[in-house]
Amino acid sequence: MQLLSSTEAGQTRAWLETIGSSLQSAEFAAWNLEWLAAHCDAFDEAEENKLEYTQAHETYQVEVEKHINAAVAGTDVDMSKLLERLPAFLKQTTDAAQMSPASAECVETLTSLTEFNEFKAAMIMTNRDKASSSGAGAPAAGGELFEATAAHSLRDMEGCLEFAAAMDAATDGWTTLSEKGWFRLE
């Protein structure tokens, strides 16, 4: 793998920033929520991964790719060169500080969009939210628990703390499932 010149690395970074801004747009967010809601009904919390999950994920990736191609049409982004350069760019910029925040966010977003388990989790959560908001059936632990997750991102520490407080309030307290030395699962 040949290293990129500083000009090529800079251009690659700029291309990632262009793609990243389209993935962070309100238009993409609205499309994404609509797509997930339209296709989440087949997803459940069973451990087994069904063939239709894989098919939905593949369709989703194709649709995201269409969105990206439409967003970069008319710009200087050369997708074939970007794909050719990306491995070298990522190898050269192993430290996130070497990337711009926008290009690092783009790489993280693209990676998460292609990750099947993250996709499945998003579909299951969307299905829960859809069921909870439509009154079609409440989640096992009570609808108020999942309304809390709609208002707060679980990746956000404050959201996690509020979610834990909501779980505690919705039940009779924590139940110890397993305790092994220093490890305790409630």
Side-chain angles (χ1 to χ4, degrees):
M1 181 180 316
Q2 187 175 7
L3 294 178
L4 301 177
S5 70
S6 61
T7 302
E8 291 171 327
Q11 189 176 44
T12 302
R13 184 178 299 108
W15 291 343
L16 287 171
E17 290 169 0
T18 299
I19 293 169
S21 68
S22 75
L23 295 175
Q24 300 301 318
S25 71
E27 175 190 344
F28 180 77
W31 171 85
N32 191 49
L33 289 174
E34 183 178 310
W35 197 95
L36 293 176
H39 298 89
C40 70
D41 293 335
F43 287 77
D44 58 38
E45 297 190 45
E47 289 289 321
E48 173 188 347
N49 289 323
K50 300 173 185 171
L51 177 60
E52 60 192 307
Y53 296 179
T54 302
Q55 292 168 335
H57 187 232
E58 289 170 355
T59 301
Y60 177 73
Q61 289 180 32
V62 167
E63 294 300 318
V64 169
E65 188 175 330
K66 286 179 186 176
H67 175 83
I68 291 170
N69 286 329
V72 301
T75 69
D76 71 336
V77 175
D78 183 330
M79 290 301 286
S80 62
K81 282 186 181 177
L82 174 64
L83 294 174
E84 179 184 307
R85 292 178 185 173
L86 196 55
F89 178 77
L90 293 174
K91 185 173 180 134
Q92 283 177 238
T93 57
T94 54
D95 180 7
Q98 295 173 321
M99 281 193 203
S100 67
S103 63
E105 180 72 27
C106 177
V107 169
E108 183 179 325
T109 300
L110 288 172
T111 302
S112 72
L113 291 174
T114 60
E115 185 63 40
F116 176 78
N117 289 329
E118 288 190 33
F119 172 78
K120 181 181 173 186
M123 293 298 271
I124 290 169
M125 184 60 81
T126 302
N127 202 3
R128 282 184 194 160
D129 290 346
K130 190 175 172 182
S132 177
S133 66
S134 71
E144 63 277 355
L145 284 176
F146 296 100
E147 289 172 17
T149 62
H152 302 287
S153 168
L154 287 178
R155 292 184 180 183
D156 170 40
M157 182 55 86
E158 184 178 325
C160 288
L161 294 173
E162 289 179 20
F163 180 73
M167 285 183 63
D168 188 41
T171 64
D172 293 330
W174 297 99
T175 302
T176 301
L177 300 174
S178 177
E179 192 166 355
K180 306 277 185 203
W182 60 271
F183 177 78
R184 183 175 178 171
L185 178 63
E186 295 185 312

